[in-house]
Amino acid sequence: MTGISFPAWQPAPQKPVLADDAAQVWFSSLQLPAAKLEQFWQTLSPDERRRAERFHFERDRQGYIAGRGILRELIGAYLAVAPGEVIFAYGTQGKPCLACPQNSGLHFNLSHSHGHAVFAFYWGGEIGVDLEYLRPMPDAVQIASRFFSKQESGVLLALPPEEQQAAFFDCWTRKEAFIKAGGEGLSRPLAEFDVSFGAGEQARLLRIGQDYQPATGWTLRELNLAPGFTGAVCIAGPEVKVNCRSYQSGL
């Protein structure tokens, strides 16, 4: 990780409030008490329950229930509705949005990795978030050469070998957060835009398409998470403030 300072992760308030001019990001373990998982199970839709039951490993099933349950609980708190009343719809690339309550104006996204998850919310426009566990990646340079832009691949190769793996994940999460914010998934080639990364580099979206001027219409922020994780959030809008919250088994 780059070590850029980021707002501290604050404990959850009893009633979450999402300001109009700021995004809010929550970080949580998906290993929750059995009683909490049972509570969440009661809030899931029939299709979510069917999906949960298809997981082969119990830890994956419980992680899915925890992730969907936390998402429903947070949306319900923001919109003052019961978590079980939330209904999701999905874009062509699978990005979730709200079908009910309709026209709430709440945009959200989530990502999970290695038993943890991040949840991002914003009133003002689209938002995307990505989380990665810093696992060994011996072919990081080869993957970057194949999928990243030429500029990004050059930046990665110029770093000392001992810094390349962490820098790869910084770049990856920032790019994923951007394409998730746009709802395009991997239908947008990763080489079509550039992000900043590397030691001492603040997260920024540098280029979209052939426009080499700074991409000022977006806010890109690094998320300093628990040891062994890195993440990023991307928000439609310039210089959007980001508040960070730690979810610990409930609101």
Side-chain angles (χ1 to χ4, degrees), residues 192-237:
E192 282 192 358
F193 61 97
D194 296 329
V195 299
S196 63
F197 67 99
E201 282 287 338
Q202 184 175 359
R204 290 177 296 137
L205 186 60
L206 301 175
R207 171 185 69 93
I208 302 175
Q210 299 303 313
D211 183 4
Y212 281 85
Q213 298 300 315
T216 56
W218 295 87
T219 297
L220 183 62
R221 293 285 184 267
E222 173 189 0
L223 299 176
N224 284 336
L225 303 165
F229 290 88
T230 189
V233 60
C234 188
I235 309 151

Coordinates of all heavy atoms in Angstrom, one line a residue, residues 192-237:
E192 N -7.9 1.1 -21.2 CA -8.5 2.3 -21.8 C -8.4 3.5 -20.9 O -8.8 4.6 -21.2 CB -9.9 2.0 -22.2 CG -10.1 1.3 -23.5 CD -11.5 1.3 -24.1 OE1 -12.4 1.9 -23.4 OE2 -11.7 0.8 -25.1
F193 N -7.9 3.3 -19.6 CA -7.8 4.4 -18.7 C -6.7 4.2 -17.8 O -6.2 3.0 -17.6 CB -9.1 4.6 -17.9 CG -9.5 3.4 -17.0 CD1 -9.2 3.3 -15.7 CD2 -10.2 2.3 -17.6 CE1 -9.5 2.3 -14.9 CE2 -10.5 1.2 -16.8 CZ -10.2 1.2 -15.5
D194 N -6.2 5.2 -17.2 CA -5.0 5.2 -16.3 C -5.4 5.7 -14.9 O -6.1 6.6 -14.7 CB -3.9 6.1 -16.8 CG -3.3 5.6 -18.1 OD1 -3.3 4.4 -18.4 OD2 -2.9 6.5 -18.9
V195 N -4.8 5.0 -13.9 CA -4.9 5.5 -12.5 C -3.4 5.7 -12.0 O -2.5 5.1 -12.4 CB -5.6 4.5 -11.6 CG1 -7.1 4.3 -12.1 CG2 -4.9 3.1 -11.5
S196 N -3.3 6.5 -11.0 CA -2.0 6.7 -10.3 C -1.8 5.6 -9.2 O -2.8 5.1 -8.6 CB -1.9 8.1 -9.7 OG -2.9 8.2 -8.7
F197 N -0.6 5.2 -9.0 CA -0.3 4.2 -8.0 C 1.3 4.3 -7.8 O 2.0 4.9 -8.6 CB -0.7 2.8 -8.3 CG 0.0 2.2 -9.5 CD1 1.0 1.3 -9.3 CD2 -0.4 2.5 -10.8 CE1 1.6 0.7 -10.4 CE2 0.2 1.9 -11.9 CZ 1.3 1.0 -11.7
G198 N 1.7 3.6 -6.8 CA 3.1 3.5 -6.5 C 3.4 4.3 -5.2 O 2.6 5.1 -4.7
A199 N 4.6 4.1 -4.7 CA 5.0 4.7 -3.4 C 4.8 6.3 -3.4 O 5.3 7.0 -4.3 CB 6.4 4.4 -3.1
G200 N 4.0 6.8 -2.4 CA 3.8 8.2 -2.3 C 2.8 8.8 -3.3 O 2.6 10.0 -3.3
E201 N 2.2 8.0 -4.1 CA 1.2 8.5 -5.1 C -0.2 8.4 -4.6 O -0.7 7.4 -4.2 CB 1.3 7.7 -6.4 CG 2.5 8.0 -7.3 CD 2.3 9.3 -8.0 OE1 1.2 9.8 -8.1 OE2 3.4 9.9 -8.4
Q202 N -0.8 9.6 -4.5 CA -2.2 9.7 -4.1 C -3.1 9.1 -5.2 O -2.8 9.3 -6.4 CB -2.6 11.1 -3.8 CG -4.1 11.2 -3.3 CD -4.4 12.7 -2.9 OE1 -3.5 13.5 -3.0 NE2 -5.6 12.9 -2.4
A203 N -4.1 8.4 -4.8 CA -5.0 7.8 -5.8 C -5.7 8.8 -6.7 O -6.4 9.7 -6.1 CB -6.0 6.9 -5.1
R204 N -5.5 8.7 -8.0 CA -6.2 9.7 -8.9 C -6.5 8.9 -10.2 O -5.8 8.0 -10.6 CB -5.3 10.8 -9.2 CG -5.1 11.8 -8.1 CD -4.1 12.9 -8.5 NE -2.8 12.4 -8.8 CZ -2.0 12.7 -9.9 NH1 -2.5 13.6 -10.8 NH2 -0.8 12.2 -10.0
L205 N -7.6 9.3 -10.8 CA -7.9 8.9 -12.2 C -7.3 9.8 -13.1 O -7.6 11.0 -13.2 CB -9.5 8.9 -12.3 CG -10.0 8.3 -13.6 CD1 -9.6 6.8 -13.8 CD2 -11.5 8.4 -13.6
L206 N -6.3 9.3 -13.9 CA -5.5 10.2 -14.8 C -6.1 10.4 -16.2 O -5.9 11.5 -16.8 CB -4.1 9.6 -14.9 CG -3.4 9.4 -13.6 CD1 -2.0 8.7 -13.8 CD2 -3.1 10.8 -12.9
R207 N -6.6 9.3 -16.7 CA -7.1 9.4 -18.2 C -8.2 8.5 -18.4 O -8.3 7.4 -17.8 CB -5.9 9.0 -19.1 CG -6.3 8.8 -20.5 CD -5.1 8.2 -21.3 NE -4.8 6.9 -21.0 CZ -5.3 5.8 -21.6 NH1 -6.2 5.9 -22.6 NH2 -4.9 4.6 -21.3
I208 N -9.2 8.9 -19.2 CA -10.3 8.0 -19.7 C -10.3 8.1 -21.2 O -10.4 9.2 -21.7 CB -11.6 8.5 -19.1 CG1 -11.6 8.5 -17.6 CG2 -12.7 7.5 -19.6 CD1 -12.9 9.0 -16.9
G209 N -10.2 7.0 -21.9 CA -10.1 7.0 -23.3 C -8.9 7.7 -23.8 O -7.8 7.5 -23.3
Q210 N -9.1 8.5 -24.8 CA -8.0 9.2 -25.4 C -7.7 10.6 -24.8 O -6.8 11.3 -25.2 CB -8.3 9.4 -26.9 CG -8.4 8.1 -27.7 CD -7.2 7.2 -27.6 OE1 -6.1 7.7 -27.7 NE2 -7.4 6.0 -27.3
D211 N -8.5 10.9 -23.7 CA -8.3 12.2 -23.1 C -7.2 12.1 -22.0 O -7.3 11.5 -21.0 CB -9.6 12.6 -22.4 CG -9.5 14.0 -21.7 OD1 -8.4 14.6 -21.9 OD2 -10.5 14.4 -21.1
Y212 N -6.0 12.7 -22.3 CA -4.9 12.6 -21.4 C -4.9 13.8 -20.4 O -3.9 13.9 -19.6 CB -3.6 12.6 -22.2 CG -3.3 11.3 -22.8 CD1 -3.9 10.9 -24.0 CD2 -2.5 10.4 -22.1 CE1 -3.6 9.7 -24.6 CE2 -2.3 9.1 -22.7 CZ -2.8 8.8 -23.9 OH -2.6 7.5 -24.4
Q213 N -6.0 14.6 -20.3 CA -6.1 15.6 -19.3 C -6.6 14.9 -18.0 O -7.2 13.8 -18.1 CB -7.0 16.7 -19.7 CG -6.6 17.4 -21.0 CD -5.2 18.1 -20.7 OE1 -5.0 18.7 -19.7 NE2 -4.3 18.0 -21.7
P214 N -6.4 15.4 -16.8 CA -6.9 14.8 -15.6 C -8.4 14.6 -15.7 O -9.2 15.5 -16.2 CB -6.5 15.9 -14.5 CG -5.4 16.6 -15.1 CD -5.6 16.7 -16.6
A215 N -8.8 13.4 -15.3 CA -10.3 13.1 -15.3 C -10.9 13.7 -14.1 O -11.1 13.0 -13.1 CB -10.4 11.6 -15.3
T216 N -11.3 15.0 -14.2 CA -11.7 15.7 -13.0 C -13.2 15.4 -12.6 O -13.6 15.8 -11.5 CB -11.6 17.2 -13.3 OG1 -12.4 17.5 -14.5 CG2 -10.2 17.6 -13.5
G217 N -13.9 14.6 -13.4 CA -15.3 14.4 -13.0 C -15.5 13.2 -12.0 O -16.6 12.9 -11.7
W218 N -14.4 12.7 -11.6 CA -14.4 11.5 -10.6 C -13.5 11.7 -9.4 O -12.5 12.4 -9.5 CB -14.0 10.2 -11.4 CG -14.8 9.8 -12.5 CD1 -14.8 10.2 -13.8 CD2 -15.9 8.9 -12.4 NE1 -15.7 9.6 -14.5 CE2 -16.5 8.8 -13.7 CE3 -16.5 8.2 -11.4 CZ2 -17.6 8.0 -14.0 CZ3 -17.6 7.3 -11.7 CH2 -18.1 7.3 -13.0
T219 N -13.9 11.2 -8.3 CA -13.1 11.1 -7.1 C -12.6 9.7 -6.9 O -13.5 8.7 -6.9 CB -13.9 11.6 -5.9 OG1 -14.3 12.9 -6.0 CG2 -13.1 11.4 -4.6
L220 N -11.3 9.5 -6.8 CA -10.8 8.2 -6.5 C -10.0 8.2 -5.3 O -9.1 9.1 -5.1 CB -9.9 7.8 -7.7 CG -9.2 6.4 -7.7 CD1 -10.3 5.3 -7.7 CD2 -8.3 6.1 -8.8
R221 N -10.3 7.3 -4.3 CA -9.6 7.3 -3.0 C -9.1 5.9 -2.7 O -9.8 4.9 -2.9 CB -10.5 7.8 -1.9 CG -10.9 9.3 -2.0 CD -9.8 10.2 -1.6 NE -10.2 11.6 -1.6 CZ -10.1 12.4 -2.7 NH1 -9.5 12.0 -3.8 NH2 -10.5 13.7 -2.6
E222 N -7.9 5.9 -2.1 CA -7.4 4.6 -1.5 C -8.1 4.4 -0.2 O -8.5 5.3 0.5 CB -5.9 4.8 -1.2 CG -5.3 3.6 -0.5 CD -3.8 3.9 -0.1 OE1 -3.3 5.0 -0.4 OE2 -3.2 3.1 0.6
L223 N -8.3 3.1 0.1 CA -8.9 2.7 1.4 C -7.8 2.0 2.2 O -7.3 0.9 1.8 CB -10.1 1.8 1.3 CG -11.3 2.4 0.5 CD1 -12.4 1.3 0.3 CD2 -11.8 3.6 1.2
N224 N -7.4 2.6 3.3 CA -6.4 1.9 4.2 C -7.2 1.0 5.1 O -7.9 1.5 6.0 CB -5.6 3.0 5.0 CG -4.6 3.7 4.1 OD1 -4.1 3.1 3.2 ND2 -4.2 4.9 4.5
L225 N -7.1 -0.3 4.9 CA -7.9 -1.2 5.6 C -7.1 -2.0 6.7 O -6.1 -1.5 7.1 CB -8.5 -2.2 4.6 CG -9.3 -1.5 3.5 CD1 -9.6 -2.4 2.3 CD2 -10.6 -1.0 4.0
A226 N -7.6 -3.2 7.0 CA -6.8 -4.0 8.0 C -5.5 -4.5 7.3 O -5.4 -4.5 6.1 CB -7.7 -5.2 8.4
P227 N -4.5 -4.9 8.1 CA -3.3 -5.4 7.6 C -3.6 -6.6 6.6 O -4.4 -7.4 6.9 CB -2.5 -5.9 8.8 CG -3.1 -5.0 9.9 CD -4.5 -4.8 9.6
G228 N -2.9 -6.5 5.5 CA -3.1 -7.6 4.5 C -4.1 -7.3 3.5 O -4.4 -8.2 2.6
F229 N -4.8 -6.2 3.5 CA -5.8 -5.8 2.6 C -5.5 -4.4 2.0 O -4.9 -3.6 2.6 CB -7.2 -5.7 3.2 CG -7.8 -7.0 3.7 CD1 -7.5 -7.5 4.9 CD2 -8.6 -7.8 2.8 CE1 -8.0 -8.8 5.4 CE2 -9.1 -9.0 3.2 CZ -8.8 -9.5 4.5
T230 N -6.0 -4.2 0.7 CA -6.0 -2.9 0.1 C -7.3 -2.7 -0.6 O -8.0 -3.7 -0.9 CB -4.8 -2.7 -0.8 OG1 -4.7 -1.4 -1.2 CG2 -5.0 -3.6 -2.1
G231 N -7.7 -1.5 -0.8 CA -9.0 -1.2 -1.5 C -9.0 0.2 -2.0 O -8.1 1.0 -1.8
A232 N -10.1 0.5 -2.7 CA -10.3 1.8 -3.3 C -11.8 2.0 -3.5 O -12.5 1.1 -3.7 CB -9.5 1.9 -4.7
V233 N -12.1 3.3 -3.5 CA -13.5 3.7 -3.8 C -13.5 4.8 -4.9 O -12.6 5.6 -4.9 CB -14.2 4.2 -2.6 CG1 -13.5 5.4 -1.9 CG2 -15.7 4.5 -2.9
C234 N -14.4 4.7 -5.9 CA -14.5 5.7 -6.9 C -15.9 6.2 -7.0 O -16.9 5.5 -6.9 CB -14.1 5.0 -8.3 SG -14.0 6.2 -9.6
I235 N -16.0 7.6 -7.1 CA -17.3 8.2 -7.0 C -17.5 9.2 -8.1 O -16.5 9.9 -8.5 CB -17.4 9.0 -5.6 CG1 -17.0 8.1 -4.5 CG2 -18.8 9.6 -5.4 CD1 -16.4 8.8 -3.3
A236 N -18.7 9.2 -8.7 CA -19.0 10.2 -9.8 C -19.2 11.6 -9.2 O -20.1 11.8 -8.5 CB -20.2 9.7 -10.5
G237 N -18.2 12.4 -9.4 CA -18.2 13.8 -8.9 C -16.8 14.2 -8.4 O -16.0 13.3 -7.9

